[in-house]
Amino acid sequence: MKVIERKKLWFSLSIAIIVVGLIMGMIQGFNLGIDFTGGTMMQINLGKRVSVDEIRNIISKFDLKADILHVGEEKHEIIIKTKKDLNNNQRQEIFKVFKEKYNLKDEDLRQAEQFGPSIGKEIQKKALLSIAIAALGMLIYITFRFEFKFGVSAIITLLHDIFVVLAIYAIFRIPINSSFIAAMLTIVGYSINDTIVVFDRIRENIKFMKKKNYDDIVDASVNQTLTRSINTSLTTLITITALYILGVESIKEFALPLIAGTITGTYSSIFIASPIWTSWKNWEVRKGRYNAS
Amino acid sequence: MKIKNAIVLLLIIAIVATGAIAGINGFEIGNFKIRPIKQMLKLGLDLKGGVFVVLEAQTDATGEELDKIMNQTKEVIERRVNAMGLAEPNVMREGDKRIRIELPGVKNAQEAIDAVGKTAQLQFMNYKGEVILTGDQVKDAKVVFEKNRGNIPSVSLEFNSEGAKKFQIATREAASKPKGSSERIIAIVLDDEIISAPAVNNEIPNGRAVIQGNFTLEEASQLAALIRGGALPVNLIEVQTSVIGPTLGMDSLNKSIKAAAIGIALVFIFMLIYYRVPGFIASIALIIYILIVLWILIGFGAVLTLPGVAGMILSIGMAVDANVIIFERIKEEIRNGKSLRASVNSGFSKALTTILDSNVTTLIAGVVLYQFGSGPIKGFAVTLMIGVAASMFTAVIITKTLLKIFMNMNVFNNTKLYGA
């Protein structure tokens, strides 16, 4: 497979996805979960399928602007999400109405959550800070074990993955909540691991193929590690997909970005990380030549 | 050599199988008992159901003063929570000003929050609204049934010596006022709300008082528990609550276990078909990996939450990576015309630096996230680090040992069996 030859194609593809995602995110806004905006979520088992309109009717007397969705295997359950920060008393009142109308038991309130508005910003800030410091730590390690250019390329690839997954969140309107951070962190771990394996091969091949140019070395290295990249992402995808298909609602929200992240991480380790490094190396060679002449 | 290696291999398989079965069903020989892993792992509220509340202190205090207030608050809340008689409640500080209270098994969030988060500022006030004494001076509070009031539950209080003295002076003064005048009243105020306002007839020297009201038994016991538990030094507001019904919790756990089982089985099948003999070895290594991770989690007393379970199931897919790197290298060496033995040796040593470098970078991320992250991020970091360390160990030690045993058996020496 010729990777380097078509690097402009790979770069444009990634940039396109990121730009489309971010523009969509800016136009329609990201679907921020209640953990970030503050608000309330209630999940109620109604024992039968009830239309969204009927539920909207019931809660309209509480003056709620709510998102309503059906969940569960037979869609007997509903999730009501409001941006309004309802306290426990108010939630109990709402549930009481449902309880009477549909003859429910206490256990049918499957879950309820409430977040004050300030919590999300804090989590966000800490997560961003820790990702930044982690990136710096990895940059130092890679510089020490490989070279600075590998380190920078790996970090750019990491940012690429984060932005692509963010774009996917925007495009598919996946709610950004606290599991979003866990998903992002998993992707960071996966992506860097995957990238290093390819870089490791390049480092090894440079020793043996001194006379060849960087493009050839990278192409050979990517091809040598290709089976491994695909197989590992396959086994990883197998387990997350099982989780996505069999999991409960909150796990599905978590598994979907992970599936996207795994695919992105594999893609970027092949098509983004090494081409960045090669471009830099080649640019340096050209620059050196001009300087010399 | 052949037979000895076959025996060792069978022994290893038997041990791993026993470990796996013991993990699933528990294990018992005589007095030696191991419970199933599922029961030994501490489950988070999202997996077993319950209520958690995060309360934030309304205070401008900082530094040591804040620290003192928060620790006092935590103590008071702990006392109140313990009075609820739950199985494994958990009260912890979160960040600077917050306290997180986890109440497994509780269904009604409101009752729990009321019981835990009430400021419980108990005050005795005279007719001028002056505070005579406060809840700190109460030594004990309990429910009593007063016969002359038709056995309606009341709360009887016993003051400490300082409180008793103050109460004696105040009652003496009140009793000296004209009969029927409002000046005789000493009001009992809880959180700025008058709960009873009895008129004093005589001086009370023994340091005892009774709060009368139209309490149900439950209300009276709750009030007594609140007063006993002491007042919170600061006002708290609820910033986050979560109620997970017990059925949803079990549902999540069972579905996750099912997903894990199917995921693992599919990974086994994939590895067996693609890598044959090494695939079989990787499957054994994977079982060992899972057992190691679970036991370390149990050892650390880690609390398993839903994202944690998801992370672990994901890590099972990723854990074969080190094996895949090794096997691909061995295949390459075989293709380059080396003998099987030489291929395994050189493939292994070449794979080692790759595994090391790729995992150390992930470990760095784990360490940083643990240091700077909070709450769920910290938990995630721990699982990540354990996973990486365990997968390196199993890939380097277990896979290598098993590969050598297979080669020494001289039965599986066709390179085709190695996926080449």
Side-chain angles (χ1 to χ4, degrees):
Chain A
M1 191 168 54
K2 301 253 184 231
V3 174
I4 298 302
E5 210 171 84
R6 301 217 183 113
K7 66 184 174 205
K8 278 185 188 146
L9 175 70
W10 317 131
F11 289 156
S12 338
L13 192 68
S14 290
I15 290 169
I17 294 175
I18 293 172
V19 169
V20 167
L22 294 186
I23 287 175
M24 282 181 80
M26 271 183 274
I27 293 171
Q28 45 177 302
F30 283 93
N31 183 5
L32 289 176
I34 55 167
D35 354 11
F36 281 101
T37 56
T40 317
M41 183 272 270
M42 295 174 76
Q43 185 177 348
I44 304 173
N45 179 15
L46 297 173
K48 60 177 179 188
R49 192 175 177 140
V50 178
S51 75
V52 169
D53 287 338
E54 195 175 325
I55 292 157
R56 213 173 280 289
N57 248 328
I58 298 171
I59 57 171
S60 63
K61 71 169 125 180
F62 294 99
D63 195 25
L64 287 183
K65 264 198 210 149
D67 285 334
I68 297 162
L69 55 142
H70 285 101
V71 294
E73 265 148 54
E74 288 153 286
K75 305 286 175 204
H76 286 175
E77 291 172 24
I78 47 156
I79 288 182
I80 303 170
K81 279 185 185 171
T82 74
K83 294 272 149 81
K84 213 159 129 188
D85 194 356
L86 301 173
N87 68 25
N88 256 291
N89 271 327
Q90 293 164 305
R91 294 204 305 264
Q92 285 294 326
E93 247 172 75
I94 294 171
F95 178 62
K96 227 163 100 190
V97 176
F98 280 100
K99 201 171 152 186
E100 275 158 23
K101 175 144 191 184
Y102 298 104
N103 224 341
L104 306 178
K105 289 191 222 104
D106 274 343
E107 289 90 79
D108 289 324
L109 179 60
R110 300 262 282 172
Q111 64 172 324
E113 256 175 14
Q114 165 268 328
F115 288 90
S118 63
I119 299 257
K121 283 194 195 86
E122 268 178 48
I123 305 175
Q124 228 169 344
K125 226 167 80 185
K126 274 209 156 155
L128 277 178
L129 180 74
S130 38
I131 288 182
I133 296 172
L136 191 70
M138 293 188 281
L139 184 65
I140 292 169
Y141 179 79
I142 299 170
T143 306
F144 175 68
R145 289 281 298 166
F146 294 78
E147 61 168 1
F148 180 65
K149 292 188 190 73
F150 275 123
V152 174
S153 310
I155 301 302
I156 295 174
T157 309
L158 201 67
L159 290 174
H160 162 270
D161 294 348
I162 288 176
F163 277 112
V164 168
V165 175
L166 201 61
I168 287 165
Y169 268 94
I171 294 168
F172 294 101
R173 309 271 305 145
I174 305 170
I176 294 183
N177 50 29
S178 38
S179 58
F180 160 79
I181 289 167
M184 279 297 181
L185 297 176
T186 313
I187 292 162
V188 167
Y190 186 86
S191 157
I192 201 81
N193 197 304
D194 216 25
T195 306
I196 292 296
V197 174
V198 182
F199 282 178
D200 181 78
R201 200 54 183 254
I202 297 174
R203 175 178 61 178
E204 186 186 319
N205 284 338
I206 288 174
K207 285 186 209 148
F208 295 109
M209 306 197 277
K210 284 228 161 74
K211 292 206 177 121
K212 287 202 178 168
N213 63 35
Y214 289 118
D215 289 11
D216 291 342
I217 293 176
V218 169
D219 263 345
S221 309
V222 167
N223 279 299
Q224 282 161 354
T225 49
L226 198 61
T227 322
R228 172 263 158 197
S229 291
I230 293 170
N231 284 357
T232 298
S233 65
L234 266 181
T235 54
T236 310
L237 281 175
I238 286 173
T239 50
I240 325 175
T241 310
L243 208 56
Y244 179 74
I245 294 171
L246 297 168
V248 292
E249 215 54 38
S250 53
I251 281 289
K252 279 183 203 264
E253 277 180 5
F254 179 61
L256 195 63
L258 281 181
I259 292 174
T262 308
I263 296 170
T264 314
T266 310
Y267 172 84
S268 68
S269 73
I270 298 169
F271 298 102
I272 302 294
S274 325
I276 291 178
W277 180 81
T278 323
S279 307
W280 193 347
K281 278 290 195 188
N282 286 338
W283 175 76
E284 203 181 43
V285 169
R286 277 200 305 273
K287 196 179 68 174
R289 207 180 293 141
Y290 291 136
N291 284 349
S293 60
Chain B
M1 280 317 272
K2 219 167 118 177
I3 293 176
K4 194 182 136 200
N5 280 298
I7 292 172
V8 173
L9 178 68
L10 285 176
L11 212 62
I12 291 176
I13 293 175
I15 292 171
V16 173
T18 315
I21 293 166
I24 296 167
N25 296 324
F27 190 70
E28 198 175 341
I29 300 180
N31 287 329
F32 183 71
K33 236 195 238 176
I34 296 177
R35 285 186 296 150
I37 286 174
K38 195 176 149 187
Q39 287 176 25
M40 287 174 76
L41 269 172
K42 282 190 204 150
L43 300 181
L45 285 183
D46 53 354
L47 289 176
K48 67 177 162 191
V51 172
F52 84 74
V53 193
V54 180
L55 300 171
E56 190 173 76
Q58 301 296 292
T59 169
D60 294 326
T62 50
E64 257 174 56
E65 199 193 338
L66 178 67
D67 226 42
K68 204 176 131 204
I69 293 176
M70 293 310 290
N71 286 335
Q72 275 174 2
T73 311
K74 189 178 159 231
E75 249 172 60
V76 173
I77 290 177
E78 265 170 351
R79 253 177 285 157
R80 289 181 186 176
V81 166
N82 288 337
M84 295 167 83
L86 297 169
E88 278 177 48
N90 202 354
V91 180
M92 55 198 154
R93 277 185 70 178
E94 201 174 78
D96 290 338
K97 283 188 181 178
R98 298 206 181 112
I99 289 186
R100 182 188 175 97
I101 305 152
E102 297 186 339
L103 307 167
V106 169
K107 279 182 211 149
N108 192 326
Q110 190 55 46
E111 271 171 28
I113 293 163
D114 281 351
V116 165
K118 269 243 169 85
T119 344
Q121 270 295 352
L122 182 71
Q123 291 170 324
F124 288 74
M125 284 181 187
N126 64 15
Y127 69 100
K128 281 185 253 171
E130 290 167 349
V131 177
I132 301 160
L133 54 86
T134 60
D136 319 346
Q137 282 145 349
V138 174
K139 205 160 75 182
D140 196 16
K142 58 186 173 224
V143 179
V144 290
F145 299 93
E146 290 177 298
K147 287 211 184 83
N148 52 359
R149 288 185 67 235
N151 279 334
I152 294 175
S154 306
V155 177
S156 134
L157 302 175
E158 191 186 337
F159 302 120
N160 62 17
S161 58
E162 191 192 348
K165 211 177 283 166
K166 284 185 183 165
F167 197 58
Q168 185 177 7
I169 296 167
T171 47
R172 184 193 303 153
E173 202 192 317
S176 70
K177 297 280 153 54
K179 257 202 175 139
S181 100
S182 63
E183 290 172 34
R184 277 200 168 201
I185 288 172
I186 290 184
I188 300 164
V189 180
L190 186 74
D191 290 341
D192 297 327
E193 197 181 311
I194 297 177
I195 39 176
S196 74
V200 178
N201 293 322
N202 300 302
E203 175 184 334
I204 304 176
N206 61 356
R208 281 173 194 280
V210 174
I211 307 174
Q212 297 171 334
N214 278 323
F215 303 129
T216 64
L217 177 58
E218 206 178 314
E219 283 164 354
S221 346
Q222 207 179 15
L223 182 58
L226 270 177
I227 295 170
R228 261 203 317 274
L232 289 173
V234 66
N235 237 321
L236 296 171
I237 56 159
E238 182 188 325
V239 285
Q240 189 185 347
T241 46
S242 162
V243 186
I244 308 278
T247 46
L248 182 67
M250 279 322 288
D251 213 23
S252 319
L253 185 62
N254 290 335
K255 280 183 175 167
S256 307
I257 291 175
K258 200 168 147 196
I262 291 175
I264 293 167
L266 288 173
V267 170
F268 281 178
I269 293 171
F270 174 81
M271 292 299 283
L272 280 172
I273 291 175
Y274 200 91
Y275 292 108
R276 326 249 165 106
V277 168
F280 178 70
I281 291 171
S283 301
I284 295 176
L286 194 59
I287 296 175
I288 296 175
Y289 164 82
I290 296 166
L291 289 174
I292 290 177
V293 170
L294 289 173
W295 280 108
I296 292 179
L297 285 176
I298 292 172
F300 278 179
V303 177
L304 205 60
T305 59
L306 200 51
V309 173
M312 243 170 62
I313 294 174
L314 176 71
S315 82
I316 292 168
M318 289 165 72
V320 291
D321 181 51
N323 285 296
V324 170
I325 293 175
I326 295 168
F327 300 158
E328 284 298 326
R329 274 295 185 153
I330 293 176
K331 265 164 59 178
E332 263 177 65
E333 300 292 310
I334 292 173
R335 267 188 237 124
N336 288 342
K338 284 192 189 162
S339 75
L340 181 63
R341 196 168 294 266
S343 301
V344 168
N345 282 332
S346 67
F348 211 92
S349 62
K350 281 183 180 169
L352 213 57
T353 48
T354 317
I355 295 171
L356 192 73
D357 280 331
S358 63
N359 283 324
V360 168
T361 39
T362 313
L363 268 182
I364 290 174
V367 172
V368 172
L369 295 177
Y370 183 78
Q371 276 297 319
F372 296 92
S374 65
I377 297 177
K378 239 188 171 91
F380 173 82
V382 172
T383 335
L384 182 72
M385 287 190 284
I386 294 173
V388 169
S391 84
M392 275 208 282
F393 169 78
T394 46
V396 174
I397 309 285
I398 308 285
T399 305
K400 189 173 187 178
T401 312
L402 287 171
L403 269 173
K404 289 240 154 99
I405 290 172
F406 263 94
M407 277 191 320
N408 289 338
M409 284 191 340
N410 288 328
V411 182
F412 303 104
N413 281 1
N414 187 332
T415 50
K416 280 220 169 67
L417 291 172
Y418 287 75

